[in-house]
Amino acid sequence: MQDPNFWQNKERAAEISQDLVNLKEETEEIEKLNQDLEGIKEIINFQDKTLDKEIEQGIGDIENRVKKQESKIFLSGKYDKGNAAISIFAGAGGQDAQDWATMLLRMYQRFCEQKGFSAKILHQTFGEAGGPEGRIGTKTATLEIKGKFAYGILRGEAGVHRLVRISPFSPQKLRHTSFALVEILPEISKIEESEMQVRQEDLKIDIYKSSGAGGQNVNKRETAVRITHIPTNITVTCQSERLQGLNKGKAMKLLFAKLYQLKQKQEEKEIKEVKGDKVLAEWGNQIRSYVLHPYKMAKDLRTGVETSAVESVLDGDLDEFVEAEIKVL
């Protein structure tokens, strides 16, 4: 930053400045932890039993703060500190699968609220109407997540999620298994966007009216944007903003993230082929089961973490699963 030419590249300079702010925050927290720990030691040395409760509370607070710092050690990936996007796709199964996609969307929205992240729906296509309590399912949805370490915390959620329950759409009250695919994308820096060199002639851009669940929710103006990258056939959509230009900008950010992810997967595939490992299809990569009948359990098939409090999990209580994913995956 002492370089006289530092601010000539404003985007790069802004990134480095933010890195400095993040590093200062981390070192200041470590220093504060050390100070508080020394303070607890001094209180213990008094050997005053009336201070036992204060000591216990102080140690508990320090343990929780150390745990948070420990998790950050595992969040050292290129984009782990940045924002993210979550895309949810209903699997085969009609209304049950679409209802499951809506449940997952709500689960991640609640989780983001608990973490202090902002979560905004960029795009949502609705399924069939006429379910119990007027429920309308979701075919696809994309959430924009803004918050520190959002991508690093959520990246382990990518994969297929399986739900087993008595179907609310079945007159015979039959048990039904539903699947939904969750995709987690990082926010790509502007510098890397420019390095990807996406040609304008490789893009097909469609403008249309934003979709809704019906009635007053239907937008009458053509502000939604769909962009297709012709060479890869990757399609992205944004309809959250009232202005067409803003929707196009956000759709392009999603496109760059998907192109980056595609590049990463191709590189991983090449490495696995050299090693002779079997490459599994993504849709078959089931990561977690949520069982509501005949018993109650949410179980992650990669980390082994499980709980019978499946309703709490579906209400956004994902900390136990996420913390295990961060350390294992």
Side-chain angles (χ1 to χ4, degrees):
M1 291 179 72
Q2 299 300 321
D3 189 329
N5 300 320
F6 178 73
W7 286 102
Q8 284 189 0
N9 186 336
K10 292 183 179 179
E11 291 173 354
R12 178 63 177 157
E15 285 187 13
I16 292 173
S17 298
Q18 187 58 53
D19 285 343
L20 179 62
V21 170
N22 293 337
L23 288 168
K24 281 183 176 179
E25 286 179 0
E26 289 178 22
T27 53
E28 286 170 3
E29 175 60 16
I30 297 297
E31 288 169 3
K32 184 70 167 58
L33 275 169
N34 283 327
Q35 291 171 8
D36 292 348
L37 188 57
E38 289 302 317
I40 291 291
K41 288 179 181 178
E42 289 179 11
I43 296 174
I44 290 172
N45 289 335
F46 290 150
Q47 296 184 347
D48 183 347
K49 289 191 175 182
T50 62
L51 298 174
D52 284 356
K53 188 172 182 180
E54 183 181 343
I55 291 169
E56 186 179 343
Q57 290 175 343
I59 291 173
D61 175 63
I62 289 173
E63 282 180 342
N64 290 331
R65 287 159 61 194
V66 168
K67 197 173 181 181
K68 287 182 180 178
Q69 292 300 315
E70 181 190 31
S71 296
K72 290 180 181 179
I73 295 170
F74 299 94
L75 298 174
S76 57
K78 189 173 183 179
Y79 294 104
D80 282 356
K81 292 183 180 180
N83 302 323
I86 299 178
S87 292
I88 301 169
F89 306 88
Q95 286 180 303
D96 275 287
Q98 292 166 9
D99 191 48
W100 175 221
T102 301
M103 290 168 68
L104 283 174
L105 178 64
R106 177 183 175 275
M107 181 180 79
Y108 288 119
Q109 286 175 314
R110 290 292 180 89
F111 176 73
C112 289
E113 286 176 14
Q114 294 169 20
K115 287 293 178 185
F117 298 157
S118 70
K120 184 176 184 179
I121 295 177
L122 295 182
H123 168 66
Q124 185 173 10
T125 58
F126 295 92
E128 303 169 43
E133 301 173 1
R135 282 145 76 164
I136 298 175
T138 298
K139 290 182 178 179
T140 63
T142 299
L143 269 178
E144 178 186 59
I145 312 297
K146 290 188 176 293
K148 197 171 181 181
F149 290 102
Y151 177 69
I153 288 170
L154 287 163
R155 58 180 164 83
E157 290 295 298
V160 174
H161 294 245
R162 170 178 172 259
L163 173 70
V164 181
R165 63 172 175 174
I166 297 294
S167 171
F169 302 94
S170 170
Q172 296 82 24
K173 302 297 180 184
L174 299 176
R175 190 169 66 183
H176 191 91
T177 301
S178 304
F179 295 90
L181 177 65
V182 174
E183 184 181 65
I184 311 293
L185 299 169
E187 183 178 73
I188 306 300
S189 67
K190 290 185 178 180
I191 293 172
E192 286 192 297
E193 287 181 6
S194 62
E195 290 174 353
M196 286 184 185
Q197 297 178 341
V198 175
R199 300 185 307 169
Q200 193 65 31
E201 55 265 35
D202 287 339
L203 301 178
K204 180 187 175 187
I205 301 176
D206 298 308
I207 311 298
Y208 61 99
K209 293 178 182 178
S210 299
S211 62
Q216 295 180 349
N217 295 317
V218 177
N219 194 335
K220 297 177 175 59
R221 296 177 58 206
E222 293 189 343
T223 57
V225 176
R226 181 190 299 113
I227 301 176
T228 303
H229 185 244
I230 297 169
T232 60
N233 202 33
I234 290 174
T235 300
V236 292
T237 307
C238 182
Q239 62 182 41
S240 62
E241 306 296 337
R242 293 186 177 184
L243 297 178
Q244 187 184 114
L246 292 176
N247 281 326
K248 182 180 177 182
K250 291 197 173 185
M252 284 299 297
K253 290 192 77 65
L254 285 174
L255 177 62
F256 282 121
K258 282 181 175 280
L259 289 173
Y260 167 80
Q261 189 182 67
L262 179 63
K263 181 183 175 183
Q264 293 294 103
K265 286 181 180 178
Q266 288 172 340
E267 289 174 357
E268 289 171 7
K269 184 178 178 181
E270 288 170 7
I271 292 170
K272 286 182 179 179
E273 286 176 349
V274 170
K275 290 182 177 179
D277 292 339
K278 183 180 179 182
V279 180
L280 298 176
E282 185 177 35
W283 184 255
N285 186 23
Q286 182 178 314
I287 65 164
R288 190 179 301 145
S289 290
Y290 309 73
V291 181
L292 293 172
H293 184 85
Y295 53 88
K296 293 188 177 182
M297 180 186 293
K299 181 174 182 178
D300 195 286
L301 305 179
R302 304 157 302 168
T303 63
V305 172
E306 62 180 65
T307 177
S308 60
V310 63
E311 287 93 348
S312 295
V313 173
L314 292 172
D315 203 33
D317 187 8
L318 293 171
D319 282 340
E320 189 177 1
F321 291 97
V322 166
E323 287 172 12
E325 289 163 7
I326 289 170
K327 295 176 182 178
V328 173
L329 302 180

